[in-house]
Amino acid sequence: MRKLIIGLLCLAGLAVVIDFGAAAYTEYHVSRQLRAGAELSADPEVTFHGFPFTAQAMSGRYDGVTIRARSMRPDIPGEIGIEASLNGLHAPVSRLLDGTAGSVQVERVDARMRIEPTELGMLFGIPDLQVHTRPADKSDGTGGSGGSGMTTAGGLVLTGTLSTAANGRILAAGAIPSSTSKRIPVQVEAELLLDGDLIRIQATGFHHDRNSGPTDVTTAKESEVPEADREAVLARFSRTIDTKELPFGVTPTEVSALGGHIVVEGIGRNVTIDLDRLQQP
């Protein structure tokens, strides 16, 4: 009896090893397929969830697949993070392995695009840019959706330092500071909006109330910014970003600020996706 139990345990352990090996082998092939189709600089991270994997492979339906990748875009310096969670993916395992999966049915796709603080700083031309959420978001009285189709994600406080010229005026973006230049820390209030496929970060004014914003930054008073430069400074803290669709062509429905990141999300239900086209042209 003891030998039988040991033998069964060994078989169970071997089955688990084989199952995880099969999952890893499939993850590798799907990752390579995605890299080639999306022209990524590195293999994306692909994870098949659920156990046992072999049972899902035999049925041709996978409970959950998570894909994470880094992608470069010409309009955003550096790289952005893109993620997709595929729940209820229908595809024969043979097509996943030989790279012919092509169009597959998915019951639900949760897609995300994440722009990190470093990339945001380069995009704004403010290297030390930081994004904070305001404790009390402004409301437009429509439950978060404006009459123009814009979705209000809430209020932000943007912080960063700007350089001045010898005469005290704020230098324009891209201008090279001189040895006599000073750096002024600035905080502005901004609204984060999703307008169709566009993310709008619109600075609305200077932030003064330290009790409602970040407390670890010495804020320049509005009076320290020359009056002639105030509109230009607010413009420096404003940007419009085209989402260019989320992974697998999912339409964005929500934007938020999380941990200094700007995160855009969307959900697709009962859709057909091109598994080798993580990014749409």
Side-chain angles (χ1 to χ4, degrees), residues 32-140:
R32 297 292 296 180
Q33 183 178 353
L34 285 167
R35 177 179 181 176
E39 298 182 352
L40 301 173
S41 60
D43 291 350
E45 176 186 334
V46 178
T47 305
F48 281 81
H49 302 281
F51 181 83
F53 171 80
T54 50
Q56 298 181 67
M58 292 176 63
S59 69
R61 181 190 181 279
Y62 305 88
D63 296 334
V65 183
T66 301
I67 301 168
R68 294 185 177 90
R70 305 285 298 174
S71 174
M72 297 185 66
R73 286 179 35 172
D75 58 330
I76 300 178
E79 292 185 322
I80 62 172
I82 52 178
E83 305 173 11
S85 298
L86 313 180
N87 299 298
L89 169 66
H90 296 263
V93 68
S94 59
R95 294 179 61 194
L96 296 179
L97 295 177
D98 64 15
T100 62
S103 297
V104 296
Q105 295 291 324
V106 182
E107 296 169 14
R108 172 168 169 153
V109 180
D110 292 85
R112 290 168 293 280
M113 181 180 79
R114 187 183 301 269
I115 309 175
E116 300 176 358
T118 300
E119 282 66 37
L120 285 170
M122 291 189 291
L123 179 64
F124 280 74
I126 305 173
D128 61 348
L129 178 76
Q130 296 184 41
V131 179
H132 311 266
T133 55
R134 292 206 299 267
D137 292 342
K138 293 182 178 180
S139 174
D140 58 8

Side-chain angles (χ1 to χ4, degrees), residues 83 85 87 106-112 246-254 264-271:
E83 305 173 11
S85 298
N87 299 298
V106 182
E107 296 169 14
R108 172 168 169 153
V109 180
D110 292 85
R112 290 168 293 280
L246 298 182
F248 300 115
V250 174
T251 301
T253 57
E254 181 180 351
V264 191
E265 301 177 89
I267 298 175
R269 290 183 172 86
N270 299 317
V271 296

Side-chain angles (χ1 to χ4, degrees), residues 215-263:
T215 59
D216 58 344
V217 179
T218 302
T219 307
K221 295 183 175 62
E222 183 177 354
S223 59
E224 294 182 35
V225 178
E227 184 174 356
D229 292 334
R230 292 174 190 173
E231 289 299 323
V233 167
L234 293 180
R236 288 278 299 274
F237 284 89
S238 301
R239 284 294 183 278
T240 298
I241 305 169
D242 189 345
T243 63
K244 295 186 181 297
E245 296 185 327
L246 298 182
F248 300 115
V250 174
T251 301
T253 57
E254 181 180 351
V255 63
S256 61
L258 180 63
H261 301 66
I262 299 298
V263 182

